């Protein structure tokens, strides 16, 4: 099992993005996903910048994959997709069926991103015929469901599991960060840049629930599949995806790397617990509410 | 200039609602089966095979159509439930299946080559390229567009996609792209994609506490207010939350969609059908909405250039709307 870094879902200044990726170049990551997934208005990095960064990372031995937007609506967004397709070097992660359609039409292999609704073997078969070479299952898919899928002889595709980080839960045509600042979406002042890890949303009782990230809504807790590592190994999962944030990401990567090699989950869990962001959840994996942490059934009380 | 009216597609959660919709002028009615295969999987709602047969008989005798919505995503544990539902639809002679899942579309097209297929809103197809994917592989004949596109974007899709386009005209409004929202399962474990539910009733609790009316979802406080105001049904996107110390509807105000004002533009754009949301609604509600929209659609077709919204229609619909306020939704925005 190897580690990958999912696309950056937040909006950071250009220099910060470059510095972030450059510090990761020497870390044990097999694949890095580059590109803007959330909002086409975020233009501090153009496609050319991402490609330049990609060249640098590829030169240090990393596999680079370009992620497409998760919600494609406008002609300009389809045009950006065409430019991504024509990059001539890197694979694409398709996060919208528009991207699947175009990859298939151009006979380009692609990764099925977590935003594509691929919940079963029949769908996976069709997507493989279309040229899919790797699959990131939907976040909702449980470990048992994945095990059943992996046991199907028809399903032979590399599997990359979203294993760590805030989960992208929903997409909208509206921007909730702009809404919070009472700004219209078309004049949003790019306020996302003020929130390097999103904008926290709590219940009226102070329970941390969600994070607003422009048009995307994320879980407030970070998904953490570290406790399920033995099962993931047993299932032959090929890659574990870590989704980036701004705080101590190199430590997250080395902790997962260490755990994969020495199997010392307790020590790894303790390290993760000491990091700045350490509210974890993994309920989906155990077939439960996504926000729950742990395997054991517990009844939430108000 | 007189043209034919856009098709009016109305919801039915049971036989009485279906009869009401047809009696009041719906061209088509969409229904679901009594299981996980449809996105309104609520207790006491939907059709068993025998009732579906009666529904089809009622509609077909009056030259109206019935569509069967199988618009959840087949789960690995029991994909055969969805496949059997496809076969049942074909046996019953429904006029179209409304499907979202790529694998199920593939199954339906292979098993039933002549069966009419519509692409559900839950497939989240928002561009002509995404629609082309389903058209080229499964010969879908209609797409239902997510409620996130602007009017201009709808026009572009109609021009470029080569299949009929159906848009939502009235009812509850999803602010999130349909088929790509896990907020319900994050809190309850059950979502529209997996179980056909959003904020399932068994996870909902209403409470009075500390002088507050509260609504909770699996224990999580989603809405709270005091005085004569009522806490809303705990749908996550419509809750009141704290962001930076300010408590408000951080995601969306509870409003309903109504496209009355835009009917001429939708008709000119070539939109084929207008859909009413609400299979969970009462037969009376369905009858009222159908009556008003039928009049509006006929008036629009009779004289597109001089179409004006009759205040009686908008008042009538306003009384039926959630939160009693209306929005044109994303259709109205000039921006991307």
């Amino acid at each position: 099992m190897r580690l990958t870094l999912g696309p950056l879902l937040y909006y950071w200044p250009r220099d910060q993005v470059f510095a972030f990726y450059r510090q990761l170049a020497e870390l044990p990551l097999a694949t890095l996903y580059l590109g803007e997934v959330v909002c086409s208005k975020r233009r501090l990095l153009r496609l050319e910048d991402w490609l330049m960064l990609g060249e640098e990372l590829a030169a240090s031995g990393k596999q680079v994959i370009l992620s497409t937007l998760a919600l494609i609506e406008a002609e300009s967004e389809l045009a950006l997709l065409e430019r991504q397709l024509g990059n001539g070097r890197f694979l694409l992660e398709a996060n919208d069926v528009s991207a699947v359609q175009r990859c298939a039409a151009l006979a380009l292999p692609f990764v099925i991103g977590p935003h594509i609704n691929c919940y079963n073997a029949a769908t996976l078969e069709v997507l493989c015929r279309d040229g899919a070479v790797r699959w990131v299952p939907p976040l909702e898919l449980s470990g048992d469901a994945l095990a059943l899928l992996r046991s199907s002889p028809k399903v032979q595709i590399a599997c990359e599991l979203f294993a760590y980080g805030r989960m992208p839960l929903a997409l909208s045509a509206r921007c909730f960060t702009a809404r919070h600042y009472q700004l219209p979406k078309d004049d949003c002042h790019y306020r996302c840049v003020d929130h390097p890890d999103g904008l926290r949303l709590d219940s009226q009782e102070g329970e941390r629930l969600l994070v607003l990230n422009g048009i995307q809504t994320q879980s407030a807790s970070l998904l953490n599949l570290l406790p399920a590592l033995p099962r993931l190994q047993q299932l032959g999962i090929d890659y574990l995806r870590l989704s980036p944030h701004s705080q101590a990401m190199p430590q997250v990567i080395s902790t997962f790397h260490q755990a994969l090699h020495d199997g010392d989950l307790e020590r790894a869990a303790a390290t993760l617990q000491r990091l700045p962001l350490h509210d974890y959840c993994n309920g989906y994996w155990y077939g439960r509410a996504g926000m729950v942490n742990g395997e054991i059934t517990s009844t939430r009380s108000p | 200039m007189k043209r034919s009216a856009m098709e009016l597609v109305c919801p039915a959660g049971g036989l009485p609602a279906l009869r009401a919709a047809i009696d009041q002028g719906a061209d088509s009615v969409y229904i679901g089966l009594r299981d996980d295969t449809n996105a309104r999987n609520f207790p006491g709602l939907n059709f068993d095979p025998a009732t579906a047969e009666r529904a089809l008989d009622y509609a077909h005798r009056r030259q109206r159509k019935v569509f069967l919505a199988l618009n959840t995503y087949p789960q690995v544990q029991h994909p055969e439930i969805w496949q059997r539902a496809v076969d049942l639809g074909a046996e019953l002679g429904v006029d179209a299946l409304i499907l979202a899942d790529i694998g199920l579309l593939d199954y339906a097209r292979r098993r039933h080559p002549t069966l009419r297929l519509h692409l559900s809103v839950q497939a989240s197809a928002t561009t002509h390229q995404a629609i082309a994917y389903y058209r080229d592989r499964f010969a879908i004949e209609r797409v239902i567009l997510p409620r996130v596109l602007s009017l201009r974007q709808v026009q572009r899709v109609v021009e470029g996609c080569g299949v009929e386009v159906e848009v939502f005209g009235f009812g509850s409004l999803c602010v999130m792209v349909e088929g790509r929202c896990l907020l319900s399962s994050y809190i309850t474990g059950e979502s529209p994609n997996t179980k056909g539910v959003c904020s399932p009733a068994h996870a909902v609790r209403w409470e009075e506490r500390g002088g507050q009316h509260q609504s909770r979802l699996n224990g999580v406080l989603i809405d709270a207010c005091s005085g004569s105001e009522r806490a809303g049904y705990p749908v996550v996107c419509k809750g009141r939350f704290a962001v930076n110390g300010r408590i408000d509807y951080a995601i969306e105000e509870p409003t309903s969609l109504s496209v009355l004002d835009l009917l001429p533009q939708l008709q000119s754009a070539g939109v084929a059908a207008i859909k009413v949301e609400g299979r969970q609604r009462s037969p009376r509600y369905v009858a009222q909405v159908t009556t008003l929209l039928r009049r509006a659609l006929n008036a629009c077709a009779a004289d597109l250039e001089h179409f004006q919204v009759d205040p009686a229609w908008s008042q009538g619909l306003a009384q039926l709307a959630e939160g009693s306020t209306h929005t044109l939704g994303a259709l109205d925005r000039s921006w991307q």
Side-chain angles (χ1 to χ4, degrees):
Chain A
M1 227 167 2
R2 298 197 287 164
L3 298 177
T4 76
L5 190 78
L8 174 64
L9 302 176
Y10 305 108
Y11 192 41
W12 295 351
R14 191 174 181 282
D15 290 349
Q16 190 183 338
V17 174
F18 273 81
F20 177 75
Y21 283 105
R22 282 173 182 152
Q23 69 170 338
L24 302 180
E26 301 308 318
L27 289 172
L29 292 168
T31 309
L32 291 95
Y33 291 81
L34 301 181
E36 177 57 48
V37 171
V38 176
C39 176
S40 60
K41 292 185 192 311
R42 296 174 173 180
R43 289 177 191 142
L44 286 175
L45 269 81
R46 304 272 172 166
L47 177 59
E48 292 68 31
D49 295 310
W50 289 115
L51 291 173
M52 192 163 75
L53 202 47
E55 294 292 346
E56 273 185 39
L57 292 164
S60 60
K62 308 295 187 198
Q63 181 189 29
V64 170
I65 296 177
L66 295 180
S67 292
T68 74
L69 283 167
L71 171 60
I72 300 180
E73 297 176 86
E75 288 298 318
S76 59
E77 292 160 355
L78 284 172
L80 171 65
L81 170 64
E82 292 303 319
R83 291 174 54 224
Q84 287 182 310
L85 288 160
N87 83 85
R89 167 137 198 207
F90 304 122
L91 281 184
L92 259 62
E93 173 187 61
N95 283 310
D96 183 286
V97 174
S98 311
V100 176
Q101 166 73 0
R102 293 300 298 144
C103 285
L106 299 169
L108 293 171
F110 64 93
V111 176
I112 306 167
H115 293 282
I116 300 284
N117 282 329
C118 180
Y119 284 90
N120 53 60
T123 296
L124 209 42
E125 264 188 86
V126 176
L127 291 172
C128 286
R129 286 206 298 270
D130 290 323
V133 291
R134 194 189 292 191
W135 171 47
V136 187
L139 289 157
E140 286 183 309
L141 205 71
S142 70
D144 288 345
L146 189 60
L148 263 175
L149 257 171
R150 298 286 290 174
S151 68
S152 159
K154 289 178 181 171
V155 179
Q156 298 295 331
I157 183 171
C159 181
E160 175 171 330
L161 203 57
F162 199 118
Y164 172 90
R166 292 219 169 102
M167 295 185 284
L169 297 176
L171 295 162
S172 176
R174 294 196 214 168
C175 176
F176 308 117
T177 304
R179 177 180 169 86
H180 176 72
Y181 289 106
Q182 294 166 337
L183 293 166
K185 185 186 173 197
D186 57 350
D187 184 24
C188 66
H189 300 192
Y190 304 100
R191 294 301 290 265
C192 283
V193 87
D194 299 333
H195 301 282
D197 291 308
L199 183 55
R200 219 177 91 191
L201 178 151
D202 297 347
S203 81
Q204 292 187 42
E205 292 175 318
E207 182 173 11
R208 292 181 181 209
L209 277 186
L210 303 168
V211 162
L212 304 176
N213 176 36
I215 68 156
Q216 183 184 65
T217 307
Q218 302 181 328
S219 62
S221 300
L222 286 79
L223 172 64
N224 178 14
L225 289 186
L226 183 76
L229 228 47
R231 178 106 197 268
L232 303 184
Q233 277 165 326
Q234 181 204 334
L235 289 176
I237 303 298
D238 304 274
Y239 301 93
L240 291 188
R241 170 176 294 205
L242 315 176
S243 187
H245 52 66
S246 75
Q247 304 186 35
M249 211 52 209
Q251 279 169 271
V252 173
I253 296 163
S254 11
T255 305
F256 268 87
H257 178 71
Q258 184 79 27
L260 281 176
H261 284 266
D262 65 16
D264 190 344
L265 298 188
E266 276 183 33
R267 192 177 61 183
T271 308
L272 289 184
Q273 212 54 52
R274 285 194 298 271
L275 297 181
L277 295 176
H278 56 255
D279 284 333
Y280 297 117
C281 65
N282 51 24
Y284 281 137
W285 179 255
Y286 299 108
R288 300 157 44 74
M291 71 187 297
V292 172
N293 194 27
E295 192 170 2
I296 302 138
T297 306
S298 67
T299 311
R300 291 177 51 86
S301 55
Chain B
M1 188 181 81
K2 171 120 176 96
R3 3 179 143 212
S4 56
M6 289 182 282
E7 182 178 326
L8 177 57
V9 184
C10 292
L15 203 49
L18 177 128
R19 289 195 187 114
I22 286 175
D23 294 349
Q24 299 310 317
D27 298 298
S28 319
V29 180
Y30 64 105
I31 65 173
L33 297 174
R34 199 165 279 180
D35 56 28
D36 287 359
T37 60
N38 79 93
R40 291 286 186 278
N41 181 19
F42 301 161
L45 207 64
N46 294 322
F47 292 72
D48 57 27
T51 322
E53 203 168 352
R54 289 168 65 196
L56 278 152
D57 183 61
Y58 191 85
H60 286 169
R61 281 173 190 275
R62 290 159 184 81
Q63 285 76 51
R64 314 299 172 81
K65 296 176 196 151
V66 176
F67 305 147
L68 180 62
L70 307 174
N71 52 356
T72 50
Y73 286 85
Q75 299 298 298
V76 183
Q77 292 85 344
H78 310 288
E80 67 283 356
I81 295 176
W82 280 263
Q83 295 176 350
R84 279 204 305 264
V86 165
D87 298 337
L88 176 67
E91 280 163 33
L92 288 170
V94 297
D95 298 283
L97 293 180
I98 306 174
L99 305 177
D101 180 63
I102 290 171
L104 197 61
L105 280 155
D106 187 52
Y107 175 86
R109 184 42 75 226
R110 281 188 290 110
R111 282 300 186 89
H112 309 285
T114 58
L115 187 55
R116 187 178 163 97
L117 303 179
H118 293 182
L119 187 64
S120 167
V121 69
Q122 297 297 124
S124 315
T126 47
T127 70
H128 60 86
Q129 291 289 6
I131 297 161
Y133 178 87
Y134 298 95
R135 183 198 64 207
D136 295 351
R137 281 158 191 74
F138 316 121
I140 59 154
E141 293 178 62
R142 179 180 293 186
V143 58
I144 297 116
L145 294 182
R147 283 160 277 191
V148 296
L149 298 178
S150 67
L151 182 59
R152 193 178 144 66
Q153 288 168 343
V154 172
Q155 286 164 343
R156 294 300 292 263
V157 167
V158 174
E159 287 161 17
C161 76
V163 298
E164 293 174 7
V165 169
E166 179 172 315
V167 301
F168 276 92
F170 187 80
S172 293
L173 187 62
C174 273
V175 68
M176 302 303 179
V177 190
E178 295 90 335
R180 302 170 108 181
C181 178
L182 315 183
L183 292 175
S184 175
S185 66
Y186 182 60
I187 293 185
T188 70
E190 298 180 6
S191 74
N193 283 2
T194 58
K195 288 279 186 177
V197 291
C198 174
S199 293
H202 66 78
V204 170
R205 222 170 46 240
W206 305 90
E207 289 182 344
E208 302 293 323
R209 195 183 287 198
Q212 271 196 327
H213 317 299
Q214 302 184 336
S215 61
R216 290 177 185 273
L217 189 62
N218 201 15
V220 176
L221 185 61
I222 302 295
D223 197 16
C225 57
S226 47
S228 58
E229 217 184 337
R230 286 171 48 202
Y233 190 87
V235 177
V236 181
C237 63
K238 292 171 182 173
R240 276 178 276 198
F241 303 107
V243 180
N244 271 337
R246 196 175 78 221
I247 292 173
D248 62 7
Y249 293 108
I251 300 176
E252 194 210 0
E253 319 269 342
T255 55
S256 282
L257 176 74
S258 174
V259 302
L260 271 190
D261 293 333
L262 289 178
L263 287 180
Q265 288 92 325
L266 293 169
Q267 174 135 28
S268 309
V271 167
I274 297 290
K275 179 167 211 151
V276 175
E277 180 278 342
R279 283 190 284 124
Q280 73 284 17
R281 301 289 195 154
S282 68
R284 189 177 126 82
Y285 171 95
V286 171
Q288 288 172 317
V289 174
T290 305
T291 304
L292 294 169
L293 280 177
R294 179 77 274 160
R295 285 181 199 152
L297 288 177
N298 287 352
C300 181
D303 192 351
L304 192 65
E305 287 74 23
H306 302 100
F307 174 80
Q308 280 192 322
V309 174
D310 183 333
W313 307 336
S314 41
Q315 281 160 22
L317 289 175
Q319 282 164 12
L320 299 164
E322 178 189 7
S324 293
T325 54
H326 277 162
T327 168
L328 291 164
L331 288 168
D332 190 35
R333 66 196 162 99
S334 54
W335 31 268
Q336 283 185 8

